[in-house]
Structures are given as structure tokens and as C-alpha cells.
Amino acid sequence: MPLLTEELKTWIGREVTYAAREELGRASIRYFALAIDDENPLYQDEGYAREAGFSGVIAPPTFVVETCQYAHRPPNANGYIGHSWDLPVSGCRMIRGGNDYEFIRPVLASDRVSVTWTLEDIVERKSRLGGTQLFVTSVGRYYDNAKDLIAVNSETLVYQPLRGEP
Amino acid sequence: MIAATKTAAGLRPGDAMPKARKTFSSANLVMYGAATWDWHRLHHDDAFAHKMGLPAPVIDGQIYGALFAKQATGWLGPKAFVRRLSFRMRSMAFAGDTLHMAGQVSQILTEEDCPIVVLSQQLTKDDDIVAEATTEVRLPD
């Protein structure tokens, strides 16, 4: 039985928008920098960031596309609150295939972000391990308070059938 | 005084980036999950990871993007702007693993009078590639 069912195909093209309730904020930028061991003063020293030509501290490049701060909903059964399509796929584990990020400008603590996710494509491909797996590609477009595009995140997630491991 | 930013004139294809190494403790995975508002149990729950057929909680692949960007900006300087970063997962890594990062300049381009340095970056565990990235960074004129 194919993983890519007719029902699943109807999900391609779906779109959803999330709008953050507050600015990213300096505290969350510093927290992220701590979590990735990045002591770059651009992310915590206002004076340093200004001297480097910015209006204030900036976020590490990928912060805006990694945080789920835009979301406002209870965690799902797996503890996740960020965007997910909750596709009708069962008996699979989901892993990351890869991401293509495009950044338009540095992200600031004062940015209040909204993101529109589009389900671009779902394809079924043969797996090196035998059988097939699903590749689901979604594109997140991130906008600032003025609705200007600041980043694009094309993400591929892979659904691998579980093989009855313990 | 701010750190210097490298210029295209000072870079050549093949130049090596500084190497780095990081061991991902359970605490590191929890910190990263919390800092990104991502509390998915795949990244902190041993029992759930086992149920998914995996030996331990999985290092969230998104952090590799952050580490590739950190390596690029830390090396090139405060006025370097990452404009594109594409990474692909090649194998999985788990809580407790030590990953090694390396990278090289692969190309230097000019677009709209701005120099762009293209980096090829790798994260490895033992001899396995965990993730690979192509990172485009705009440098000041």
C-alpha cells in the first residue's frame, strides 16, 4: 500500500499563518545564543551591535527560522507547539531531511514576526533501507511588523515507516 | 572596538575554516529545545526515542543550521551577513555524541558589487557525515 495516498495528495498547497504575540526580545536572543554556545557580542551588547552598523542587538542568523515563538497553542501529545500539518500518516517516524534558508536582513529584538507556511510537495521515494519513505516539503515565509519579508525557510521532513523495532 | 570582518581579497577558494568540536549532553538538547520553544519529546525523552526505534534522544537537526551559521559568522566577522544556508542531514546523531565541524571556502562571487563567499561545511561523527551545508555570506565591499 503506498504511503502517498489520494487523501494525502489533497494536502499539497495548504497554507496557514501564525502571528507572534510579542517581539522576539533581547532575552530570547541571548537565551538562544547561550544554547548554541555563541558568545558573539552582536547578540547581547547593544553598543557593540551599533558600532557594527546595526540599530541594536541582532539575532544569530538562523534564530528566526528555528524558534516556534510565533505559535500560541497547547503542546501536542509529543510536546510540540510549533507549526505542523498533522498529516494523516501512521506507523512512521518523522526525521529532518534538510533546510534551505534565505535571509533578507538581520533580525532585531524588536521584530514581531508572522510566518506563513505552505505545503509545497509530498513525494514518495525508495529508501536505501528497502521500502519507501515520504518526503514532505514545506516553505515558511517570515514577515516583520511592516509585513516585509525577512526570511524564507524551505524544510523537508521525512516520514520513515517503523519496522517493528522494540 | 569591534572585531575585523574579513574581505574577499583576503580569501581564496580552498581556505580552511577553523575546526570546532561539540559534545551534546542531554542538558544541551534541553537548552536548545527550550530556547526555540520546541519541547518535542524526541529530543529529551529516552523512552519515546526507544519506542521510535532509536538508541537515545535525537539531536534536533535544526541546531546544525545554527552551528553552521555560528561557524561562518564567527570566522568572517561582525559585518558578514549570511544570506543563504542550505543543509542536508546525512545520518542521525544522539544525546551524548561528539560532533566535529569543519569547512572550506568553495567559491568567491560578486553580485551587485557585493562580494559573496560560498562556504562548504561539514559536521561529522567519527567518520560519518552527519550534516553538510552550503552557506553564502555577503561581505562588505
Side-chain angles (χ1 to χ4, degrees):
Chain A
M1 169 147 168
L3 291 169
L4 182 51
T5 60
E6 288 305 313
E7 186 200 354
L8 204 48
K9 287 180 189 168
T10 68
W11 285 69
I12 297 169
R14 289 198 189 190
E15 196 170 280
V16 61
T17 295
Y18 305 85
R21 294 190 161 200
E22 67 286 292
E23 298 75 21
L24 287 168
R26 287 180 55 176
S28 66
I29 288 175
R30 187 167 68 84
Y31 191 178
F32 181 79
L34 274 170
I36 60 168
D37 293 331
D38 197 335
E39 293 176 355
N40 193 326
L42 284 177
Y43 311 140
Q44 46 187 315
D45 182 335
E46 202 77 9
Y48 187 95
R50 289 215 171 95
E51 206 179 328
F54 305 106
S55 62
V57 292
I58 61 169
T62 61
F63 176 60
V64 68
V65 291
E66 292 180 39
T67 181
C68 301
Q69 179 255 356
Y70 57 77
H72 187 81
R73 56 181 188 169
N76 68 15
N78 289 325
Y80 189 66
I81 65 158
H83 164 71
S84 66
W85 297 110
D86 297 325
L87 297 174
V89 178
S90 57
C92 287
R93 71 177 169 220
M94 190 183 77
I95 61 166
R96 182 170 304 279
N99 289 70
D100 297 319
Y101 299 141
E102 181 183 353
F103 302 104
I104 316 297
R105 66 157 171 85
V107 169
L108 300 161
S110 56
D111 280 320
R112 186 195 292 220
V113 171
S114 62
V115 52
T116 298
W117 281 99
T118 307
L119 207 173
E120 292 277 315
D121 205 8
I122 308 178
V123 295
E124 183 169 357
R125 291 195 194 122
K126 281 190 180 160
S127 163
R128 280 178 302 173
L129 309 167
T132 59
Q133 47 193 14
L134 280 181
F135 290 75
V136 178
T137 302
S138 305
V139 177
R141 292 179 177 83
Y142 295 75
Y143 300 89
D144 63 13
N145 320 28
K147 308 295 177 214
D148 287 329
L149 187 69
I150 52 175
V152 181
N153 172 10
S154 177
E155 173 171 85
T156 301
L157 299 174
V158 186
Y159 290 72
Q160 299 180 323
L162 290 169
R163 295 170 196 285
E165 292 111 323
Chain B
M1 201 170 108
I2 64 167
T5 301
K6 290 193 183 340
T7 61
L11 294 167
R12 295 281 177 278
D15 284 355
M17 300 171 70
K19 294 187 173 179
R21 184 179 70 176
K22 182 169 172 64
T23 299
F24 290 84
S25 68
S26 299
N28 290 143
L29 299 196
V30 169
M31 275 174 79
Y32 178 77
T36 54
W37 298 54
D38 178 354
W39 312 302
H40 200 295
R41 55 186 176 160
L42 188 60
H43 307 307
H44 57 78
D45 182 333
D46 279 311
F48 182 74
H50 294 157
K51 199 173 137 195
M52 292 292 110
L54 302 166
V58 178
I59 301 172
D60 186 343
Q62 281 200 140
I63 198 172
Y64 303 148
L67 296 178
F68 286 128
K70 172 189 163 188
Q71 195 73 354
T73 51
W75 183 52
L76 293 169
K79 294 186 178 181
F81 175 71
V82 175
R83 65 169 200 170
R84 281 180 201 276
L85 194 165
S86 297
F87 66 95
R88 293 289 174 273
M89 308 296 294
R90 302 298 184 205
S91 59
M92 296 180 90
F94 305 96
D97 282 344
T98 298
L99 303 188
H100 296 260
M101 180 171 284
Q104 310 79 34
V105 173
S106 60
Q107 257 186 297
I108 297 166
L109 315 169
T110 303
E111 271 184 32
E112 294 172 3
D113 294 333
C114 281
I116 310 282
V117 55
V118 185
L119 305 171
S120 170
Q121 297 178 271
Q122 308 85 34
L123 264 173
T124 53
K125 177 174 81 172
D126 303 322
D127 291 329
D128 292 330
I129 294 180
V130 172
E132 293 178 290
T134 301
T135 308
E136 294 183 12
V137 186
R138 191 170 66 223
L139 297 176
D141 293 337

